[in-house]
Amino acid sequence: MPGFRDLLGDAKQRIREIDPAAAEARRGDAVFLDVREQDEYEQGIIPDTLFIPRGHLEAQIENRIPDKDRPIVVYCAAGIRSVFAADTLQELGYTDVASLTGGFGRWKNEGRDWVTPAVLNPEQRTRYHRHLLLPEIGEAGQQRLLESKVLLLGAGGLGSPAALYLAAAGVGTLGIVDMDVVDSSNLQRQVLHNVDRIGERKVDSAKKTLTDLNPDVDVVTYDVRLGADNILDIIDGYDVVVDGTDNFPTRYLLNDASLLKRIPVVHGSIFRFEGQVTVFRPYDGPCYRCLLPEPPPPELAPSCAEAGVLGVLPGIIGSIQALEAIKLLLDLGDPLVGRLLAYDALEETFRTFKVRRDPTCPTCGPDAAPIVIAEYDDLCLPHAVLADGTTTDH
Ligand SMILES: [Zn+2]
């Protein structure tokens, strides 16, 4: 029966060890992976560390580092657990793994860079308990949400459920752009607002509701009309934009600005009993103009003010948008990139359509001219047109 020393010796034969100086040289290029326990992690880490306790390594690593050729430096406290972790990573197919000799202890003793990581306080541990139970999120994922910034275009039908759920989930900064005031006809679906807020700025009403729901969230309000003159400044620094606008000019404007800034957009739209969601990740999947290169003529575009919508529908579509935003923030699962999800409330069906990048796209195609941020005439149509020219509303 082999003992611990034999197991360690065998594992060392199979893996590569590097000292702190060699590891230091790989910062910026390699992922530093901390496999210690929570209490050790809280005491101090190498900056920009990915934290997966050894006991969760096999279950979580492929979600957290999908690219198996990505260089990884594994460390623990003294360089023992990291040997076994490196061995496991190699068994899982990771090709460039090294274990840090002497671990964090030696790193620190040599006077190298380290920081105390931000950790959740006891109230946050309780509030986000159901997230912490998911190994795919855990404390590091929750911390990441708290550090994330999502911009919502519109505090209306789609923006309301999206903002409520993003705030509840603990997305630390929510920006909200809306220039309208709360009207009684909004309350049929815009659940951020209530009768006491009629006549108030929607952004102020939204901020009150969201801050009451979760004081961890910093709500940044933009009581302005989004235009060519301000969009680049407003979206700058956000990780994801959730688009709940209902008109072409803003969608084109947002599309072009998000490509320039390389910020993913979770697009949603609703019309009568139907809704659509897709994710535009710049230069990865299609953009809005790949789906709809030009706005349709005004006679085919119904006015948004007149279009009816079933009250519950935006709750479903806006909630899916919030979910997609969280997936993007946490690198979870498969986002709706290159896929358009269409929901029909009357049939109670979801259908997914493949949508592709258009090689002749005027903004994201290989031969596209430099992007110019410009205003468009006022047009209104709720749904995108699919790449084959058909619309999904019938
Ligand atoms: Zn495109």
Side-chain angles (χ1 to χ4, degrees):
M1 216 33 199
F4 170 72
R5 288 283 144 203
D6 304 310
L7 287 178
L8 180 63
D10 288 350
K12 281 195 179 195
Q13 296 289 315
R14 291 188 291 266
I15 62 123
R16 188 158 53 95
E17 291 183 283
I18 55 174
D19 64 15
E24 179 93 66
R26 306 203 65 182
R27 281 180 69 188
D29 157 48
V31 183
F32 278 63
L33 173 64
D34 185 340
V35 294
R36 295 173 300 165
E37 299 303 314
Q38 181 74 36
D39 57 321
E40 301 175 280
Y41 170 83
E42 288 176 15
Q43 303 293 316
I45 57 167
I46 297 174
D48 301 320
T49 281
L50 174 66
F51 172 56
I52 307 178
R54 178 69 192 86
H56 296 296
L57 186 64
E58 291 87 341
Q60 292 186 19
I61 189 69
E62 284 165 313
N63 259 334
R64 308 295 295 279
I65 308 182
D67 176 3
K68 296 206 167 170
D69 295 323
R70 186 100 191 263
I72 302 173
V73 174
V74 200
Y75 72 92
C76 60
I80 308 288
R81 281 171 285 173
S82 59
V83 167
F84 293 110
D87 196 28
T88 301
L89 290 172
Q90 288 185 169
E91 275 179 45
L92 287 169
Y94 289 87
T95 59
D96 186 354
V97 184
S99 165
L100 178 65
T101 309
F104 182 65
R106 180 166 161 196
W107 176 278
K108 205 169 144 185
N109 287 341
E110 290 185 5
R112 298 179 193 280
D113 236 14
W114 65 280
V115 292
T116 309
V119 290
L120 301 179
N121 62 39
E123 281 152 43
Q124 290 173 323
R125 287 231 167 85
T126 308
R127 175 180 283 272
Y128 305 117
H129 181 63
R130 295 295 184 104
H131 271 169
L132 304 187
L133 289 175
L134 295 169
E136 293 82 356
I137 300 181
E139 177 135 358
Q142 187 61 53
Q143 202 65 56
R144 198 153 145 193
L145 287 179
L146 287 164
E147 287 161 12
S148 297
K149 300 174 77 175
V150 174
L151 182 69
L152 294 132
L153 301 194
L158 295 171
S160 284
L164 282 166
Y165 273 113
L166 291 170
V171 171
T173 304
L174 287 179
I176 302 182
V177 187
D178 203 307
M179 61 175 296
D180 285 340
V181 295
V182 179
D183 182 272
S184 65
S185 68
N186 300 150
L187 303 181
Q188 170 248 18
R189 65 204 173 282
Q190 302 184 12
V191 294
L192 274 173
H193 315 297
N194 60 51
V195 282
D196 294 337
R197 312 267 176 78
I198 290 171
E200 247 182 72
R201 292 270 151 215
K202 278 192 181 174
V203 288
D204 297 334
S205 168
K207 184 168 179 154
K208 277 184 205 159
T209 303
L210 298 170
T211 310
D212 281 351
L213 174 62
N214 188 350
D216 281 347
V217 181
D218 180 21
V219 181
V220 184
T221 60
Y222 305 88
D223 182 10
V224 293
R225 179 186 169 277
L226 201 63
D229 56 330
N230 61 14
I231 189 164
L232 289 174
D233 288 336
I234 289 176
I235 70 171
D236 190 47
Y238 282 96
D239 301 305
V240 175
V241 177
V242 171
D243 180 13
T245 57
D246 56 5
N247 65 83
F248 279 114
T250 311
R251 287 181 189 158
Y252 283 121
L253 193 64
L254 172 64
N255 182 69
D256 300 354
S258 64
L259 282 167
L260 266 183
K261 293 278 184 183
R262 296 192 179 245
I263 301 171
V265 173
V266 184
H267 168 90
S269 70
I270 45 172
F271 182 63
R272 291 170 52 83
F273 301 99
E274 294 167 32
Q276 300 184 343
V277 189
T278 189
V279 173
F280 300 121
R281 191 155 60 186
Y283 303 102
D284 182 18
C287 78
Y288 188 66
R289 284 184 195 270
C290 290
L291 272 58
L292 197 64
E294 295 291 333
E299 60 273 21
L300 292 179
S303 153
C304 19
E306 289 168 10
V309 62
L310 181 63
V312 184
L313 179 65
I316 294 166
I317 300 301
S319 299
I320 295 174
Q321 287 181 276
L323 192 75
E324 288 298 306
I326 285 178
K327 282 164 62 187
L328 291 173
L329 296 172
L330 296 179
D331 291 326
L332 270 182
D334 297 317
L336 280 170
V337 175
R339 291 183 295 148
L340 185 136
L341 181 72
Y343 172 64
D344 184 321
L346 295 183
E347 291 177 9
E348 205 62 80
T349 52
F350 285 96
R351 288 195 186 91
T352 311
F353 299 88
K354 273 213 165 73
V355 284
R356 291 189 179 81
R357 274 185 83 177
D358 176 1
T360 65
C361 173
T363 38
C364 82
D367 303 320
I371 293 172
V372 178
I373 301 298
E375 301 278 351
Y376 289 84
D377 291 340
D378 213 18
L379 283 167
C380 197
L381 184 90
H383 281 356
V385 177
L386 293 178
D388 64 2
T390 60
T391 73
T392 53
D393 50 272
H394 16 257

